[in-house]
Amino acid sequence: MLSRSSSRGHSVWTLIVTGLAVFMAALDNLVVITALPAIQESLDTSLQDLEWTVNAYTLSFAVFLMAGAAAGDRFGRRRMFVVGLVVFTLASAACALADTSQQLIIARAVQGFGAAIVMPLTLTLLTVAVPPRRRALALGIWGALSGLAVALGPLIGGAVVEKISWEWIFWVNVPIGVVVLALSLWKLAESKRPESTLDPVGTVLVSLGMFGVVYALVRTTEHGWASGQVLSYLIAGSVLIAAFVLWELRTRHPMLPMRLFRNRSFSAVNSASLLMFAAMFGLVFLLTQFMQNIQGFSPLEAGVRMLPWTAMPVLVAPLTALLSGRFGNRLVVAAGLLFEAVGLAWLALVTEVHTDYIDQVPGLVLGGIGLGLFFAPVAEMAMNIVAPRDQGIASGANNTFRELGGVLGVAVLTSVFTAQGGYASPQDFVNGLVPATWIGAGIAALGCVAILTAPRRSKENNAAWQEEDRPDTDREPADRLEPARP
């Protein structure tokens, strides 16, 4: 059994390792968006192939999140975390070495698979390792590191593309991945659910169902919502997800127990996560194009001008532990979504072809405060509203809803953009951007309503598994914790 001091040291190292992993994955997603024009010129790709440079990662990530979380519970979270890191790091190198768009798309899909294993396990490993009374602070730091990646993503992407080359946005993952891998093998303790079993039927059904839904969403920008291809994949995916739900209700060992959705807090957290990420990613996708194509900024200049939005989470996230302690996670998350909605509404009001950047700053700051208030408290809610034995799959479910929200947001807001405007002229672009921004603000406002449907104090979120009165070294009875190997 670990001593109190060694347990504290283990918690710190787990925070460092999981924080670096989240930073690496979040940074990768944003720097790629900044580098798309350079990739298109270098590889002479079509617009469709360029979209798939982003979508291949998104599709693979969303499809395998639930399976990655379940595999961590069954085979060991540390073991699967290491596997995911190796896959992600090697795939990053393959992206940098790609000579054709097809090679890059395949490597990005493999990279998304690795991230799907890593991301849900960062939250589970951290929750298991940190005692409850220090968990809010740890998750605040974890959220700040995620926010730092969001803040630096456009900036680093723009600088690397302009000063070196687009390949280095992938090479930068390799040294980070090697360091995180070494620290994982050295400092992380293994944890698992000894009684957990695999659910192969459920895994296949949810993976194929998510593939159908996400594939349909990413194809809407090319074919439209009413096309036969989009509708057929959407219907097929929905049918498979419905079959997954029915299977999970009857099997003895479900990968996602449907009883969790009877918990109003669980449903509210995942709904709010989906809606926040839909609003955020949908607007980032369009706003970065507005700054570069309409306002005439270079990738680096656009990254600098996005800092009022993307850097605010770094400043706000560490304060959320104090705010959550005073007002509760539920109200802090609701405030974050409200700030996001108001910030996007401000941007919709001031956006014109010749908008001065200074007029956009208040909206960007408000949106950034919203992100900072959202990330850490919603992560803590996702972990605290379920029993320890369900924390791994709860993390996988929450990450799945977030990723699906990002895909849905880009698809919906891009559809609004193309229906009301387009790329024909600067005014045409603004004609599409303004209504899309209003829709984004409405989506964030719906997220605020969704999180407020959670009860103020759920039965699941009490002393039964908060374990406040238990020693640091005797926690998580449903998770077997093994010391890290020297």
Coordinates of all heavy atoms in Angstrom, one line a residue, residues 66 255-268 270 385-387 389-391 393-395 397 460:
M66 N -15.3 5.2 -27.2 CA -16.0 4.3 -26.3 C -15.2 3.0 -26.2 O -15.0 2.4 -25.1 CB -17.4 4.0 -26.7 CG -18.3 5.2 -26.7 SD -18.6 5.7 -25.0 CE -19.4 4.3 -24.3
M255 N -21.0 -2.3 -22.2 CA -19.9 -1.4 -22.2 C -20.3 0.0 -21.8 O -19.5 0.8 -21.2 CB -19.2 -1.4 -23.6 CG -20.1 -0.7 -24.7 SD -19.2 -0.7 -26.3 CE -17.8 0.4 -25.8
L256 N -21.6 0.3 -22.0 CA -22.2 1.6 -21.6 C -23.5 1.3 -20.9 O -24.5 1.2 -21.6 CB -22.4 2.6 -22.7 CG -23.0 3.9 -22.4 CD1 -22.2 4.7 -21.3 CD2 -23.2 4.8 -23.6
P257 N -23.5 1.1 -19.6 CA -24.8 0.8 -18.9 C -25.8 1.9 -19.1 O -25.6 3.1 -18.8 CB -24.4 0.7 -17.4 CG -22.9 0.5 -17.4 CD -22.4 1.2 -18.6
M258 N -27.0 1.5 -19.6 CA -28.0 2.5 -19.9 C -28.6 3.1 -18.6 O -29.2 4.2 -18.7 CB -29.1 1.8 -20.7 CG -28.7 1.4 -22.1 SD -28.3 2.9 -23.2 CE -26.6 2.7 -23.4
R259 N -28.4 2.4 -17.5 CA -28.8 3.0 -16.2 C -28.2 4.3 -15.9 O -28.8 5.1 -15.2 CB -28.5 2.0 -15.1 CG -27.1 1.7 -14.9 CD -26.8 0.7 -13.8 NE -25.4 0.2 -13.9 CZ -24.4 0.8 -13.6 NH1 -24.4 2.1 -13.1 NH2 -23.2 0.3 -13.7
L260 N -27.0 4.6 -16.5 CA -26.4 5.9 -16.3 C -27.2 7.0 -16.8 O -27.2 8.1 -16.2 CB -25.0 5.9 -16.9 CG -23.9 4.9 -16.4 CD1 -22.7 5.1 -17.2 CD2 -23.7 5.2 -14.9
F261 N -28.0 6.8 -17.8 CA -28.8 7.9 -18.4 C -30.0 8.2 -17.6 O -30.7 9.2 -17.8 CB -29.1 7.6 -19.9 CG -27.9 7.7 -20.8 CD1 -27.2 6.5 -21.1 CD2 -27.5 8.9 -21.3 CE1 -26.1 6.6 -22.0 CE2 -26.4 8.9 -22.2 CZ -25.7 7.8 -22.5
R262 N -30.4 7.3 -16.6 CA -31.4 7.6 -15.7 C -31.0 8.7 -14.7 O -31.8 9.3 -14.0 CB -31.9 6.3 -15.0 CG -32.6 5.3 -15.9 CD -33.4 4.3 -15.1 NE -32.6 3.5 -14.3 CZ -32.1 2.3 -14.6 NH1 -32.3 1.8 -15.8 NH2 -31.3 1.6 -13.7
N263 N -29.7 8.9 -14.6 CA -29.1 9.9 -13.7 C -29.2 11.2 -14.5 O -28.6 11.4 -15.5 CB -27.7 9.6 -13.4 CG -27.0 10.6 -12.6 OD1 -27.5 11.7 -12.4 ND2 -25.8 10.2 -12.1
R264 N -30.1 12.1 -14.0 CA -30.3 13.4 -14.7 C -29.0 14.2 -14.9 O -28.8 14.9 -15.9 CB -31.3 14.2 -14.0 CG -32.8 13.8 -14.3 CD -33.7 14.9 -13.9 NE -33.7 15.1 -12.5 CZ -33.9 16.3 -11.9 NH1 -34.1 17.4 -12.6 NH2 -33.9 16.4 -10.6
S265 N -28.1 14.1 -13.9 CA -26.8 14.8 -14.0 C -26.0 14.3 -15.1 O -25.4 15.0 -15.9 CB -26.1 14.7 -12.7 OG -26.8 15.4 -11.6
F266 N -25.9 13.0 -15.3 CA -25.2 12.3 -16.4 C -25.7 12.8 -17.7 O -24.9 13.2 -18.6 CB -25.2 10.8 -16.2 CG -24.4 10.1 -17.3 CD1 -23.1 9.9 -17.0 CD2 -25.0 9.6 -18.4 CE1 -22.3 9.2 -18.0 CE2 -24.2 8.9 -19.4 CZ -22.9 8.7 -19.1
S267 N -27.0 12.8 -17.9 CA -27.6 13.2 -19.2 C -27.3 14.7 -19.4 O -27.0 15.1 -20.5 CB -29.1 12.9 -19.2 OG -29.3 11.5 -19.1
A268 N -27.5 15.5 -18.4 CA -27.3 17.0 -18.5 C -25.8 17.3 -18.9 O -25.6 18.1 -19.7 CB -27.7 17.7 -17.2
N270 N -23.6 15.5 -20.4 CA -23.2 15.1 -21.8 C -23.9 15.9 -22.8 O -23.4 16.2 -23.9 CB -23.5 13.6 -22.0 CG -22.5 12.7 -21.3 OD1 -21.3 12.7 -21.6 ND2 -23.0 12.0 -20.3
I385 N -20.4 12.2 -10.7 CA -21.8 11.8 -10.7 C -22.0 10.3 -11.0 O -23.2 9.9 -11.0 CB -22.6 12.6 -11.8 CG1 -22.0 12.4 -13.2 CG2 -22.7 14.1 -11.4 CD1 -22.7 13.2 -14.3
V386 N -20.9 9.6 -11.1 CA -21.0 8.1 -11.3 C -20.2 7.4 -10.3 O -19.2 8.0 -9.7 CB -20.6 7.7 -12.7 CG1 -21.5 8.3 -13.8 CG2 -19.1 8.0 -13.0
A387 N -20.4 6.2 -10.0 CA -19.7 5.4 -9.1 C -18.3 5.2 -9.7 O -18.1 5.2 -10.9 CB -20.3 4.1 -8.8
R389 N -16.6 2.6 -10.3 CA -16.5 1.5 -11.3 C -16.9 2.0 -12.7 O -16.6 1.3 -13.6 CB -17.3 0.3 -10.8 CG -18.9 0.6 -10.8 CD -19.6 -0.6 -10.4 NE -21.1 -0.4 -10.4 CZ -21.8 0.1 -9.4 NH1 -21.1 0.5 -8.3 NH2 -23.1 0.3 -9.5
D390 N -17.7 3.1 -12.7 CA -18.2 3.5 -14.0 C -17.4 4.7 -14.5 O -17.8 5.3 -15.6 CB -19.7 3.9 -13.9 CG -20.6 2.7 -13.6 OD1 -20.3 1.7 -14.1 OD2 -21.5 2.9 -12.8
Q391 N -16.4 5.2 -13.9 CA -15.7 6.4 -14.3 C -15.0 6.3 -15.6 O -14.9 7.3 -16.4 CB -14.7 6.9 -13.2 CG -15.4 7.5 -12.0 CD -14.5 7.8 -10.8 OE1 -13.4 7.3 -10.7 NE2 -15.0 8.6 -9.9
I393 N -15.8 4.4 -18.3 CA -16.8 4.5 -19.4 C -17.5 5.8 -19.4 O -17.9 6.3 -20.5 CB -17.8 3.3 -19.3 CG1 -18.4 3.0 -20.7 CG2 -18.9 3.6 -18.3 CD1 -17.4 2.6 -21.7
A394 N -17.7 6.5 -18.2 CA -18.3 7.8 -18.2 C -17.3 8.8 -18.9 O -17.8 9.7 -19.6 CB -18.5 8.3 -16.8
S395 N -16.0 8.7 -18.7 CA -15.1 9.5 -19.4 C -15.1 9.3 -20.9 O -15.1 10.3 -21.7 CB -13.7 9.3 -18.9 OG -12.7 10.0 -19.6
A397 N -17.7 8.2 -22.6 CA -19.0 8.7 -23.1 C -18.9 10.2 -23.2 O -19.4 10.8 -24.2 CB -20.1 8.3 -22.2
E460 N -26.5 10.5 -6.6 CA -25.2 9.8 -7.0 C -24.0 10.6 -6.5 O -22.9 10.1 -6.5 CB -25.1 9.6 -8.5 CG -26.2 8.6 -9.0 CD -27.5 9.3 -9.2 OE1 -27.7 10.5 -9.0 OE2 -28.5 8.5 -9.6

